[in-house]
Amino acid sequence: MMKSGVPLCHTCGDQVGFNSNGELFVGCHECNFPICKSCLEYEIKEGRSSCLRCGTPYDENSAIADAETEASGNRTKMAADLSNPQDVGLHARNISSVSTLDSEYNDESGNPIWKNRVESWKDKKNKKKKATTKVVKEPEVPPPQQMEEKQQLADPAQPLSTVIPIPKSQLSPYRTVIIMRLIILALFFHYRVTNPVDSAYGLWLTSVICEIWFAFSWVLDQFPKWSPINRETYIDRLSERYEREGEPSELAAVDFFVSTVDPLKEPPLITANTVLSILAVDYPVDKVSCYVSDDGAAMLTFESLVETADFARKWVPFCKKFSIEPRAPEFYFSQKIDYLKDKVQPSFVKERRSMKKDYEEFKVRINALVAKAQKTPEEGWTMADGTPWPGNNPRDHPGMIQVFLGQTGAHDIEENELPRLVYVSREKRPGYQHHKKAGAENALVRVSAILTNAPFILNLDCDHYVNNSQAIREAMCFLMDPEVGRDLCYVQFPQRFDGIDRHDRYANRNTVFFDVNMKGLDGIQGPVYVGTGCVFYRQALYGYGPLSLPSLPKESSSSCSWCGSCCCCCRRKKPTKDLSEVYRDSKRDDLNAAIFNLREIDNYDEYERSMLISQMSFEKTFGQSSVFIESTLMENGGVPDSANPSLLIKEAIHVISCGYEEKTAWGKEIGWIYGSVTEDILTGFKMHCRGWRSIYCMPLRPAFKGSAPINLSDRLHQVLRWALGSVEIFLSRHCPLWYGFGGGRLKWLQRLAYINTIVYPFTSLPLIAYCTLPAICLLTGKFIIPTLSNVASVWFLLLFISIIVTSVLELRWSGVSIEDWWRNEQFWVIGGVSAHLFAVFQGFLKMIAGLDTNFTVTAKAADDTEFGELYIFKWTTVLIPPTTLIVVNIVGVVAGFSDALNKGYEAWGPLFGKIFFAFWVILHLYPFLKGLMGRQNRTPTIVVLWSVLLGSVFSLVWVKIDPFVSKDDNPNLIQGCISIDC
């Protein structure tokens, strides 16, 4: 019989037991880490002789002596209660700084006084399990069947995924060239600094400062790609392990989040396709729930969702019957492929034709709703029953929840159950800060925890549909793997897009980022969160830390945290406020709260449950909802048994009220983090700082696909928003330059990657200065580099070669095409001298003066041809800097040729260096010039550009030659002019 008050072993889950003296067995006397004698002996035999928590070596002699004493027949004495709380090692989930553990709830030793309550719960649980074991007797199994079961038990040992490292033949040269490039850069800067240009000192100094910043940016971008990896999943093993024939599926449940705001800007038909692709996903229907957040409280969104739920009754069984891909009807029916390929059922053609007709009728109904919504009635919208629509004022309305489909809802046309579909519009009132998308996502977290509480959450933008119906299974190969999933906070999928022009003029696909940078991060601590196509572990969103965390440095009053002594390198002084806060936060991260081991808190009676929640001060962290708080304690998900089903909707309405988050940790330490328009980067960063890792999953068939703005102005405004978010993070307390050092859980290369994500907008300042230098040099006749010696020429040549070779080797191991790489380079310059520059100024204006600048966009009509949006011209102030740079550099080229023609042969040599510099700028800005000029009556932009340049140059040559006036006639001509003047 298991006694209360005895901690459980962290490894096997049994009680730790007692030693030969009848005292509680303690494996590590430093931190009281709970481990039983058997597991300790096994750890020592395997060569792991240090404590898993604090790293202190185990006392091997004591462990061996206890084992021998027990073998000789000495009995172990079971203790019911522990007199010294310090001897207890609590096995618990780790909680980060979100938990507000007040000192009043701890004893003199600093341990929680509610420990015995937790241990008594464990005793109840173990009694219940033991009783169940006694009642259920295993039937006798024949020997052949036993052999089969043994073979089946061996299967779970197989991993569900594997890491495929980049071949050494590709990675070793890549790393070698990176090191060589660093050395060449050092020698190059030595030459540049020691050889100033006295005649153009200002230009030389500006160029050197810019080049040093570019080198720093390259280091931040390059070294996180030091150890790229690929991964492979085994979906068949996942099914064999968790979906056995004749038994209920043991796959984990998933809650899908889809967020939308304005249905007139985010077409309801696109949102409907996203929802339909989710409902038809290849996953057990009882494990899937789809939550749609309507942050604009639009009746159009609600009515379109009603139509979507009705059409899903036909669409979902059709998809699953014929295994079609993708399962978004708009994109399935628009595919230009042989849809009969691999289809063997004779009824497919007929049913497909019928389904396409049904979908077209569905589109007509949605379009009719959109047309009706173009003009709002003066009295506001009314629902079908005549009652006013609660969201007529999108800034002042109550919370709304409507459940469609699901277990109690309508079934499909074949009477099969459908996944649950829930419409959510959180309450909004004047005077409250609602935090845009991040606030909407947090509202969905709470609503889903009340209604379904799946252990995993997948969030999608409304324009990103499920392109691979097995995408969730791909993610579960990581999240449900006992070895891989224990420290995993999320699985990020790459973003792929439809509707991009063939040449990807403005690098909308972001191929270099998703296929190079993210693979590199996957080899460190994991990819950054990019806002969509991500499967989260719900417990990580609640601010918990992973099960295994590195130990924190011990606090000592007599030693320096830098050198270990207090008299050598520093004087005694009070620590600064920032450092003390960082250390206090990191200490909170290491608190082992046994409350988070509670899997079945409903075993308590109502009084015990309320006391337990009150003691933990959960209300200060998660808000005033006992049902939601209980759901956070259920690591494996599920709705608490204590919850009253008839009151769940009422409770869900309560947790989306606009005042629910006040004086809680929502948006500060748990959920999506507030404080930046790029809440995705901030949220992932906080998780990595807690010690979690993430994984990058790239299935052969893209998991999700979405749409991207292919118009120049829209694309620049999208980049402006991202850059502004990075500047906001840089100016906040969460800046990676100083945040998260206390726990030591964020790896240094991962930190470099996060620093790169927040400092890259500042590259716009040196970049715009550097792009202006060629024109100034051409107009003034000066240059930023002195006359090159032979040695200097070698350094310049080696630098260019190392840049080219690094890029080539990077393309080799990543599989990215040269065209994609070049488009990325071009848009790095285009975005840097436009959107990033405005983001920096807007970020500082917002911080200093509280001004939130908006850039208005005015559009002209588009062509009706394919990719007609690509040629739309929308004037915006973001276009001014790059336009100026192009004009100035073209004028500089013309002026340079003019100067060379006037000075003669000796001026052509220096001219080529300046011309090369100017053409480097013009070539990088060329896609911008194409977007600026539009289609121009279908005349290619390159023809226009070369026509202007060559026309200007030949005009100058013509004037210089002056063929219509002979040199002999010049004196007579001048004399004639003088006579006329007289």
Side-chain angles (χ1 to χ4, degrees):
M1 181 177 176
M2 302 185 76
K3 299 292 184 180
S4 62
V6 181
L8 301 182
C9 174
H10 180 275
T11 305
C12 64
D14 296 334
Q15 291 184 336
V16 296
F18 299 83
N19 59 20
S20 58
N21 299 326
E23 299 176 350
L24 187 73
F25 180 78
V26 180
C28 177
H29 295 279
E30 185 69 23
C31 67
N32 296 330
F33 182 68
I35 186 170
C36 65
K37 287 180 286 187
S38 301
C39 293
L40 177 61
E41 293 170 6
Y42 178 78
E43 292 286 326
I44 294 174
K45 287 180 182 179
E46 291 294 316
R48 296 186 287 270
S49 58
S50 299
C51 176
L52 297 175
R53 177 184 292 168
C54 67
T56 305
Y58 290 126
D59 186 0
E60 300 184 18
N61 296 328
S62 175
I64 296 173
D66 284 338
E68 291 176 351
T69 306
E70 184 178 3
S72 64
N74 291 338
R75 65 185 181 86
T76 302
K77 187 178 179 182
M78 304 292 287
D81 297 300
L82 300 175
S83 58
N84 186 3
Q86 241 177 353
D87 293 336
V88 180
L90 290 177
H91 163 46
R93 290 195 51 78
N94 293 292
I95 181 171
S96 71
S97 57
V98 303
S99 289
T100 52
L101 298 179
D102 296 336
S103 57
E104 59 183 302
Y105 298 127
N106 297 339
D107 61 14
E108 294 179 356
S109 303
N111 292 314
I113 61 176
W114 34 263
K115 186 184 304 175
N116 289 335
R117 184 183 294 276
V118 173
E119 296 301 336
S120 67
W121 168 82
K122 293 178 182 176
D123 186 34
K124 289 181 183 180
K125 183 179 72 170
N126 290 318
K127 283 180 182 178
K128 185 177 179 180
K129 287 184 177 178
K130 210 163 188 179
T132 306
T133 306
K134 290 180 180 179
V135 173
V136 179
K137 294 184 178 180
E138 295 184 1
E140 296 183 1
V141 183
Q145 191 172 345
Q146 288 179 355
M147 293 297 293
E148 292 179 3
E149 287 187 359
K150 287 181 180 178
Q151 292 177 358
Q152 290 180 355
L153 291 175
D155 291 337
Q158 294 180 325
L160 300 179
S161 64
T162 184
V163 174
I164 304 177
I166 304 297
K168 289 185 178 180
S169 59
Q170 297 178 1
L171 200 56
S172 297
Y174 177 64
R175 291 174 173 175
T176 303
V177 171
I178 291 173
I179 299 300
M180 291 178 61
R181 183 171 171 181
L182 270 179
I183 297 172
I184 293 170
L185 270 174
L187 296 172
F188 169 79
F189 283 123
H190 177 267
Y191 168 80
R192 293 283 282 132
V193 173
T194 57
N195 291 271
V197 181
D198 296 331
S199 61
Y201 189 82
L203 296 178
W204 167 82
L205 182 61
T206 302
S207 65
V208 169
I209 294 174
C210 293
E211 288 162 2
I212 291 174
W213 178 266
F214 296 152
F216 171 70
S217 299
W218 172 76
V219 169
L220 292 180
D221 180 70
Q222 187 66 66
F223 278 90
K225 296 182 284 190
W226 184 260
S227 302
I229 60 172
N230 293 311
R231 296 183 185 271
E232 184 177 355
T233 56
Y234 306 107
I235 297 179
D236 52 342
R237 295 180 185 176
L238 180 76
S239 299
E240 291 173 4
R241 185 178 300 185
Y242 296 107
E243 292 184 297
R244 295 178 181 175
E245 188 176 356
E247 299 179 9
S249 173
E250 297 179 2
L251 290 173
V254 181
D255 287 337
F256 288 77
F257 292 175
V258 179
S259 55
T260 182
V261 180
D262 187 351
L264 298 181
K265 293 181 180 179
E266 299 166 331
L269 187 62
I270 299 299
T271 304
N273 272 270
T274 300
V275 171
L276 289 169
S277 68
I278 292 172
L279 298 178
V281 75
D282 183 11
Y283 209 70
V285 293
D286 59 324
K287 307 286 186 178
V288 176
S289 300
C290 178
Y291 293 83
V292 180
S293 170
D294 177 18
D295 220 30
M299 187 173 174
L300 172 58
T301 303
F302 179 83
E303 290 182 331
S304 64
L305 210 58
V306 174
E307 293 289 348
T308 303
D310 184 60
F311 179 71
R313 299 178 59 247
K314 303 176 183 178
W315 175 251
V316 173
F318 171 76
C319 293
K320 295 187 175 182
K321 180 178 181 180
F322 298 107
S323 301
I324 67 168
E325 297 284 0
R327 300 190 175 181
E330 181 69 23
F331 301 95
Y332 170 70
F333 289 121
S334 63
Q335 289 182 113
K336 298 178 181 179
I337 60 172
D338 180 12
Y339 63 84
L340 296 177
K341 185 179 180 181
D342 300 328
K343 297 296 184 292
V344 296
Q345 300 184 45
S347 61
F348 172 68
V349 175
K350 182 179 179 180
E351 292 192 34
R352 184 184 186 276
R353 188 181 299 118
S354 175
M355 183 55 61
K356 187 174 183 180
K357 180 182 177 182
D358 290 338
Y359 176 65
E360 289 172 349
E361 293 174 352
F362 167 72
K363 286 177 65 175
V364 170
R365 293 195 297 271
I366 296 293
N367 292 336
L369 292 174
V370 174
K372 187 179 86 171
Q374 296 299 318
K375 186 177 181 181
T376 305
E378 294 182 1
E379 64 278 7
W381 299 107
T382 56
M383 294 186 288
D385 59 357
T387 58
W389 171 246
N392 276 321
N393 187 346
R395 297 182 180 180
D396 186 4
H397 65 85
M400 295 177 282
I401 295 177
Q402 176 65 49
V403 180
F404 303 97
L405 308 178
Q407 297 178 351
T408 58
H411 289 187
D412 64 25
I413 57 176
E414 297 178 1
E415 293 303 321
N416 295 319
E417 184 182 336
L418 289 168
R420 181 174 301 191
L421 176 61
V422 183
Y423 169 87
V424 179
S425 182
R426 57 182 172 143
E427 181 186 19
K428 286 191 176 182
R429 302 296 182 191
Y432 287 90
Q433 179 61 260
H434 300 292
H435 302 290
K436 300 180 180 178
K437 179 182 176 181
E441 295 288 349
N442 284 337
L444 289 183
V445 171
R446 297 191 294 271
V447 169
S448 62
I450 298 294
L451 299 181
T452 51
N453 196 33
F456 301 107
I457 294 171
L458 191 154
N459 85 293
L460 289 173
D461 289 342
C462 65
D463 61 344
H464 277 68
Y465 64 90
V466 181
N467 184 65
N468 183 345
S469 61
Q470 293 193 326
I472 311 306
R473 296 177 182 270
E474 297 273 358
M476 291 303 141
C477 287
F478 301 108
L479 292 164
M480 295 189 69
D481 191 307
E483 295 298 323
V484 180
R486 57 184 304 184
D487 297 333
L488 194 56
C489 57
Y490 62 80
V491 174
Q492 178 66 61
F493 290 89
Q495 291 186 21
R496 303 298 188 216
F497 302 99
D498 288 319
I500 306 296
D501 57 296
R502 185 165 58 91
H503 297 291
D504 193 12
R505 180 188 293 179
Y506 306 122
N508 284 280
R509 293 191 179 95
N510 284 329
T511 308
V512 172
F513 174 76
F514 286 113
D515 290 11
V516 180
N517 296 66
M518 296 287 265
K519 284 184 181 179
L521 291 175
D522 199 16
I524 308 172
Q525 200 172 341
V528 298
Y529 168 45
V530 296
T532 183
C534 186
V535 185
F536 286 97
Y537 180 38
R538 185 184 285 268
Q539 297 288 310
L541 281 171
Y542 290 155
Y544 301 151
L547 290 173
S548 58
L549 288 176
S551 59
L552 289 169
K554 294 182 180 179
E555 186 176 13
S556 176
S557 59
S558 61
S559 63
C560 172
S561 61
W562 295 96
C563 64
S565 64
C566 61
C567 58
C568 298
C569 69
C570 56
R571 298 178 181 178
R572 286 176 174 266
K573 61 180 181 179
K574 293 182 179 180
T576 63
K577 182 178 179 181
D578 292 340
L579 290 177
S580 63
E581 287 180 356
V582 168
Y583 192 79
R584 185 166 64 252
D585 289 343
S586 65
K587 291 298 289 181
R588 287 199 188 110
D589 285 351
D590 243 17
L591 289 175
N592 292 317
I595 190 68
F596 297 115
N597 246 353
L598 302 180
R599 306 296 200 280
E600 300 171 6
I601 190 173
D602 50 341
N603 283 351
Y604 287 112
D605 58 34
E606 191 66 31
Y607 174 75
E608 287 177 321
R609 187 182 303 113
S610 62
M611 285 294 295
L612 204 56
I613 292 174
S614 175
Q615 286 174 342
M616 281 300 299
S617 301
F618 269 3
E619 296 92 342
K620 297 180 182 179
T621 299
F622 295 110
Q624 301 287 334
S625 172
S626 60
V627 177
F628 175 74
I629 290 173
E630 289 185 31
S631 72
T632 66
L633 306 177
M634 306 179 71
E635 185 180 355
N636 296 322
V639 179
D641 294 338
S642 61
N644 186 345
S646 62
L647 299 177
L648 285 181
I649 293 295
K650 183 179 179 181
E651 190 70 21
I653 292 288
H654 167 61
V655 298
I656 60 172
S657 60
C658 55
Y660 183 84
E661 294 184 355
E662 286 191 346
K663 297 181 180 180
T664 67
W666 284 102
K668 302 182 185 76
E669 299 294 339
I670 62 176
W672 270 258
I673 306 302
Y674 305 149
S676 171
V677 294
T678 52
E679 70 288 329
D680 45 5
I681 296 293
L682 202 51
T683 302
F685 174 63
K686 294 277 285 189
M687 290 182 181
H688 283 138
C689 286
R690 295 186 186 111
W692 293 99
R693 64 163 290 116
S694 54
I695 277 180
Y696 196 49
C697 182
M698 294 183 66
L700 292 178
R701 180 179 180 86
F704 310 100
K705 280 190 174 183
S707 59
I710 63 173
N711 172 263
L712 174 62
S713 299
D714 293 342
R715 172 70 166 139
L716 288 177
H717 276 267
Q718 181 189 55
V719 174
L720 171 62
R721 178 181 175 277
W722 296 342
L724 177 59
S726 296
V727 174
E728 289 174 340
I729 297 173
F730 177 82
L731 299 174
S732 72
R733 72 181 185 92
H734 292 116
C735 179
L737 288 169
W738 51 73
Y739 183 85
F741 282 97
R745 297 164 190 158
L746 187 68
K747 295 184 179 180
W748 278 102
L749 287 180
Q750 191 78 15
R751 185 177 294 278
L752 281 183
Y754 274 111
I755 291 173
N756 187 42
T757 62
I758 58 110
V759 302
Y760 78 88
F762 296 95
T763 305
S764 60
L765 300 174
L767 184 60
I768 199 166
Y770 207 69
C771 290
T772 309
L773 288 177
I776 297 176
C777 292
L778 287 166
L779 292 171
T780 61
K782 299 177 181 179
F783 201 40
I784 59 175
I785 300 173
T787 304
L788 295 179
S789 62
N790 292 334
V791 176
S793 301
V794 170
W795 294 136
F796 274 88
L797 184 62
L798 288 177
L799 180 61
F800 280 110
I801 292 175
S802 66
I803 292 173
I804 295 171
V805 173
T806 304
S807 301
V808 170
L809 293 177
E810 199 168 85
L811 299 182
R812 185 184 173 204
W813 64 254
S814 66
V816 175
S817 67
I818 295 178
E819 184 180 17
D820 288 330
W821 172 83
W822 174 237
R823 291 301 185 205
N824 182 77
E825 292 295 310
Q826 287 180 312
F827 199 77
W828 175 76
V829 175
I830 295 171
V833 299
S834 56
H836 298 173
L837 182 67
F838 277 78
V840 171
F841 286 109
Q842 186 175 352
F844 277 100
L845 282 174
K846 189 174 182 180
M847 180 192 71
I848 297 172
L851 299 177
D852 193 3
T853 309
N854 293 316
F855 302 98
T856 57
V857 180
T858 304
K860 295 183 180 179
D863 290 329
D864 296 330
T865 57
E866 187 179 12
F867 307 121
E869 186 185 350
L870 186 67
Y871 304 102
I872 299 176
F873 179 75
K874 301 179 182 181
W875 175 250
T876 172
T877 50
V878 178
L879 303 177
I880 294 176
T883 305
T884 305
L885 284 177
I886 289 178
V887 173
V888 168
N889 277 277
I890 291 177
V891 170
V893 170
V894 175
F897 276 109
S898 175
D899 185 63
L901 288 170
N902 290 328
K903 290 184 177 179
Y905 176 78
E906 67 278 359
W908 287 95
L911 175 65
F912 284 119
K914 302 173 187 177
I915 293 294
F916 173 80
F917 199 3
F919 268 98
W920 178 88
V921 176
I922 295 173
L923 283 176
H924 278 79
L925 294 176
Y926 177 67
F928 173 84
L929 184 62
K930 291 186 71 174
L932 199 65
M933 299 181 68
R935 191 176 291 273
Q936 293 296 319
N937 295 324
R938 306 189 185 275
T939 302
T941 306
I942 190 67
V943 174
V944 177
L945 176 62
W946 278 108
S947 299
V948 173
L949 281 175
L950 294 177
S952 301
V953 170
F954 281 121
S955 298
L956 291 171
V957 173
W958 186 272
V959 171
K960 180 66 177 178
I961 296 174
D962 202 5
F964 294 107
V965 180
S966 63
K967 293 182 179 180
D968 296 337
D969 296 336
N970 284 345
N972 298 329
L973 182 62
I974 295 172
Q975 185 64 34
C977 292
I978 294 173
S979 302
I980 294 171
D981 291 338
C982 293

